[in-house]
Amino acid sequence: MNQILQVDGITGGYSLTRPVLHNVSFDVGPGEMIGMIGLNGAGKSTTIKHVLGVLQPHKGVIRVKGRTLREDPHQYRSAYTYVPENPLLYDELTVEEHLRFAAMAYGLDDAVYELRMWELAEQFRMRDKLGLLPGHLSKGMRQKVMIMSSFLVRPDLYVIDEPFLGLDPLGIRSLLDMLVERKAEGAGILLSSHILSTIEKYCDRFVVLHDGKVIAGGDLQSLRRQAGKPDAPLDDLFYDMVKGP
């Protein structure tokens, strides 16, 4: 099976002399949701920045749909969409203008945009907020704008960093339902989250990062075998892996 995302032996970070990541490898296949978990400072956001092409690895290779960023920047970037941990919105643009801007960036047809925009606004209960500026929105609503902008398009890969922060329970459920739908359509999803009890139910496999290294990986049963705890929930497995001496 051709993997959508391949991260092979990545060493990198913000300084050549003090890398954050050390030989990180994992992949995301079609129709898979991969949960990337770790403590604060473990390297999750740094890994995501390398996947997005914001940072270039010191060693190793990242491929999206079989291509590196250097080989084909347009094809690489058009194959994914990204939901950041902190909403990044323009103060002068309304909610609807943010959505239209995202649609233009990905070359979305006007008719398709209108259909998907209204569907997303209904799903996230934002129909009456489309004309508002970000200053009039709560943090959760701003996060919904980021999610809606990303889900307007149908890329091969979704990269999602701590998406549940600030969302109300209905917003969380709407997001999870959409992720399940995209998986069923064959998309790959890389999801970073601290809400282990939630992602345990939805992710197919997990990548456990600690001090910039992959210390465990696989599905829940595989992690249980590695920990020698056949019935433990993900929370307990993770705690045992990273608690230290």
Side-chain angles (χ1 to χ4, degrees):
M1 180 174 63
N2 293 325
Q3 303 299 79
I4 293 174
L5 171 64
Q6 297 168 289
V7 178
D8 295 325
I10 291 299
T11 294
Y14 304 91
S15 168
L16 288 172
T17 57
R18 299 183 63 185
V20 175
L21 305 178
H22 306 274
N23 196 34
V24 170
S25 296
F26 63 91
D27 54 53
V28 180
E32 276 195 317
M33 190 186 308
I34 306 303
M36 186 166 57
I37 60 178
L39 299 173
N40 292 334
K44 302 186 302 298
S45 292
T46 304
T47 299
I48 286 174
K49 287 178 181 177
H50 279 82
V51 171
L52 299 179
V54 176
L55 294 175
Q56 296 300 308
H58 306 162
K59 297 179 182 178
V61 178
I62 299 175
R63 292 183 175 87
V64 175
K65 296 286 289 182
R67 302 183 182 221
T68 67
L69 179 63
R70 186 184 297 272
E71 289 169 347
D72 194 335
H74 175 73
Q75 196 75 18
Y76 185 100
R77 291 195 171 100
S78 64
Y80 71 76
T81 189
Y82 170 53
V83 180
E85 176 180 359
N86 296 309
L88 302 171
L89 302 178
Y90 296 100
D91 292 339
E92 299 82 8
L93 296 184
T94 66
V95 170
E96 198 275 335
E97 287 169 340
H98 276 93
L99 298 174
R100 188 170 293 278
F101 183 72
M104 291 173 59
Y106 281 88
L108 204 62
D109 179 79
D110 284 346
V112 174
Y113 162 73
E114 288 288 338
L115 176 63
R116 292 180 181 173
M117 184 270 291
W118 287 113
E119 287 178 345
L120 287 164
E122 182 69 27
Q123 190 164 9
F124 283 97
R125 294 163 179 81
M126 292 285 286
R127 289 178 67 99
D128 60 341
K129 306 295 190 298
L130 292 173
L132 297 182
L133 296 171
H136 298 282
L137 303 175
S138 68
K139 180 180 179 181
M141 290 177 183
R142 293 196 297 271
Q143 184 69 348
K144 288 179 180 181
V145 177
M146 298 301 298
I147 294 169
M148 291 163 63
S149 297
S150 295
F151 280 83
L152 274 172
V153 294
R154 298 288 191 270
D156 294 294
L157 176 66
Y158 292 84
V159 181
I160 307 177
D161 191 6
E162 294 291 349
F164 306 125
L165 299 179
L167 289 183
D168 55 49
L170 291 178
I172 292 173
R173 184 57 183 266
S174 293
L175 173 59
L176 290 169
D177 287 346
M178 282 199 306
L179 291 175
V180 170
E181 290 175 8
R182 298 298 177 269
K183 266 186 53 179
E185 294 167 358
I189 299 161
L190 177 62
L191 173 63
S192 172
S193 177
H194 290 302
I195 314 300
L196 303 188
S197 59
T198 296
I199 67 171
E200 175 181 345
K201 302 172 185 176
Y202 287 86
C203 289
D204 302 287
R205 292 188 288 123
F206 303 91
V207 177
V208 184
L209 283 176
H210 190 59
D211 291 335
K213 301 175 183 177
V214 176
I215 62 169
D219 61 17
L220 187 59
Q221 293 302 324
S222 176
L223 295 184
R224 285 169 171 166
R225 286 194 297 270
Q226 293 174 54
K229 294 189 172 184
D231 300 312
L234 184 61
D235 274 304
D236 291 349
L237 297 173
F238 177 73
Y239 175 77
D240 286 348
M241 290 175 188
V242 303
K243 66 182 179 182

